[in-house]
Amino acid sequence: MKKHKLLLIDDEKVNVRVLALSLKSDGYDVITAYNGKQGLESFIKNSPAIIITDIKMPGMDGIELLKNIKEHNAGAEVIIITGHGDIDLAIKALKYGASDFINKPIRDEVLAVALKRAEDKLDIREKLKEYTNNLENMVKIATEDVRRKSNFQAKLIKSSSEGIVATDDKWKVVIFNPGAEKIFGYSKSKIVGKTNLKDLLPANIRHFFELEKKVIRQQSFIINNNGEQVPVRFSGTILQEADKMMGCVAFFQDLREIKQLEKDLVHSERLAAVGQTMAGMAHCIKNILHGFKGGSYLVNIGLDKNNPDKLKNGWQMVQRNIGRISDLVLDLLSYSKDRTPEPQICFPNKIAADACELLQNSAEEQEITIFQDYDSLIGEGLIDSRMLQRILLNLISNAIDACIFDETIGKSWQVSVKTTLIDQQMIILEVQDNGCGMSDEVKAKLFSSFFSTKGSRGTGLGLLVTRKLIKENKGSIEVSSVVGKGTVFKVKLPFKAGNQL
Amino acid sequence: MGKKVLVVDDDPDARLFNITVVEECNYTPLEAADGEEGLKLVKQEKPDLVILDVFMPRQTGIRLYRELKTDKRFKNIHIIMLSGIPKKTFLRSQKALTEFGEQEVPEPEAYLEKPVEPGELMQTLKQILE
């Protein structure tokens, strides 16, 4: 270890010389001075780490020098040399911060011990300084790191397209990112520190969130500042520390764009379906026109030959084809236009029974029996009755056709219509037949436009319209079918029973 | 009433129309509502001409046409195709079946697209049968 610089001060020059010699030989870099004033000057100039000074000197004495040195550098180690009986002065010196004192005559071993102590102290101080410096550095680095990370997080939150809202333990909003501003239509300054998150959540999610403490990707609507309903997908977690809520974080995914895209897609698909199948429609219209031509031909013959039978048949043919073309146009219209469901109070079972009655004759003509099984729990209630009537007529006449098209000999064909109430809020409608059934190929094309297995009997729009009506009413339709065994259509529709209105 | 004309169409209106035209020409009409019934009547009644629709349940006109044209017993029976399907679609379907290894069939003597004028149908009938 490198020895420190050492300043030696004594008015007795001989002492200085002897001591300096011995210290130099120990490896110290020794500077000397012969009075207090000279010593202080040298101290300031050379800044030694260790000072050995006599206490009694003319002019500035050792104590005075010690005070001055300590003022300049509190870390300097000052060893005081005292004469015999200077104990009071020695104590005074210690008070002023001297590191040690040694008695005259100076004994080498005592000096060595004092120096060693001073050296150790300097060392420790050095290390402490280094350590402190290090520590400061480390704190600086760590702080920088934390700052960077929190910056990163802040940027992340800021640039997220999802709306992110975080709160403290009292549900008060502390973070409200630009994504959230966009969804809710409030600026951050209006919300942060002022608003309770619970006031921003839709009611159904709020209760669930409080109860479950965690919500994952729940679709809902929030009402924004402009009173608009914004579709969102919500995820949120209540953050807890030792069973105590410390805050919560909520994510809102804006679904407006997605919903719009979905709508656009459905719309363009529908347009494409209409376009693609112009040929299909043309075929259908040609058949109807053929009927018209035939009708007018028969009417003409009837008139020319005064044959009332021909006249009547021709006129009926014209009328039938007027019916066919109106059905086609109505189907096309209801397929290509969005229709808002019109729920009204009615008896769904009655509508089903009416539909069966309407088709009873054509079923009987083909020796098909219609069975009806209605859930008596379904009373009066709110449902889109026109939709219900149309889908029932479509499904039941399809079922009858499936029996007509069945080539099995000697089968007793049946169509059954069944209603079931589920949870007071859902009606299940089943239309089943034991007719020809459908191949996988037919099943795959079941809901494509102008696809029909019925030749001139079908427009290829019936099921398409049926599915659209069901979708508009937030219901669903399923089909299962086995070739030669029959087909079941199962429709689920939301229903509000009369006692809940 | 001489010659027998079989009308095969699933649409009752089209059948009534075609039969009336046949009657007006003083031929004897027969009618069938699908391809299968049509074939049965062809075998039973040996008609001189068949007015055949394409798109029907059970046996389509494409199939029945093929059967009539490939069976020697029926080679003297004339056929008028009468359909809402365009002629080229019908021919394409026949060609596809031929490519799948079935026997080649000739083009129909007459192909009329619905809606047809009664005069045109009448004229075609007479042209072929007289």
Side-chain angles (χ1 to χ4, degrees), chain A residues 283 286-287 289-291 293-295 297-298 301 305 310 313 317 320-321 324 403-407 452-457, chain B residues 9-14 16-18 20-21 23-24 36 55-58 82-86 113-118 122:
Chain A
H283 175 251
K286 280 178 186 173
N287 275 311
L289 275 177
H290 192 69
K293 291 236 161 144
Y297 176 60
L298 262 76
I301 291 176
K305 301 190 172 172
K310 287 262 189 305
N313 282 339
M317 210 193 272
R320 262 199 304 279
N321 284 283
R324 278 169 79 181
C403 294
I404 296 175
F405 282 78
D406 188 12
E407 292 166 32
S452 175
T453 54
K454 301 186 199 169
S456 58
R457 291 180 70 93
Chain B
D9 201 309
D10 64 319
D11 183 353
D13 287 347
L16 185 53
F17 177 11
N18 300 349
T20 310
V21 173
E23 281 171 351
E24 289 298 305
E36 211 176 65
F55 209 37
M56 293 180 296
R58 299 196 191 166
L82 176 59
S83 170
I85 305 262
E113 268 185 50
K114 286 180 186 172
V116 72
E117 290 296 336
M122 209 178 260

Side-chain angles (χ1 to χ4, degrees), chain B residues 29-48:
Chain B
L30 300 163
E31 56 177 311
D34 57 60
E36 211 176 65
E37 205 186 326
L39 185 63
K40 212 169 85 190
L41 277 174
V42 167
K43 287 176 184 164
Q44 253 173 40
E45 302 282 338
K46 303 267 172 11
D48 298 284

Side-chain angles (χ1 to χ4, degrees), chain B residues 50-122:
Chain B
V50 180
I51 300 175
L52 185 57
D53 185 23
V54 171
F55 209 37
M56 293 180 296
R58 299 196 191 166
Q59 175 88 283
T60 67
I62 294 170
R63 272 276 152 219
L64 184 56
Y65 181 82
R66 196 158 260 284
E67 258 176 81
L68 296 181
K69 285 294 170 194
T70 53
D71 192 325
K72 277 183 194 147
R73 287 179 292 168
F74 310 133
K75 73 169 194 256
N76 292 324
I77 299 176
H78 303 284
I79 296 176
I80 296 176
M81 296 302 302
L82 176 59
S83 170
I85 305 262
K87 184 178 181 182
K88 65 172 193 235
T89 311
F90 172 78
L91 292 178
R92 212 188 300 136
S93 314
Q94 293 294 7
K95 203 176 151 218
L97 287 172
T98 306
E99 277 167 7
F100 269 98
E102 294 192 17
Q103 208 176 318
E104 200 167 337
V105 288
E107 281 195 23
E109 282 163 85
Y111 197 105
L112 300 176
E113 268 185 50
K114 286 180 186 172
V116 72
E117 290 296 336
E120 196 187 352
L121 178 58
M122 209 178 260

Side-chain angles (χ1 to χ4, degrees), chain A residues 430-450:
Chain A
E430 277 164 285
V431 179
Q432 184 165 13
D433 65 70
N434 62 350
C436 57
M438 289 184 279
S439 66
D440 288 344
E441 194 192 348
V442 170
K443 244 186 276 175
K445 288 190 199 160
L446 204 53
F447 293 103
S448 46
S449 48
F450 297 105

Side-chain angles (χ1 to χ4, degrees), chain A residues 20-32:
Chain A
L21 216 61
S22 122
L23 287 168
K24 267 178 190 165
S25 72
D26 281 346
Y28 284 102
D29 178 8
V30 184
I31 310 156
T32 52

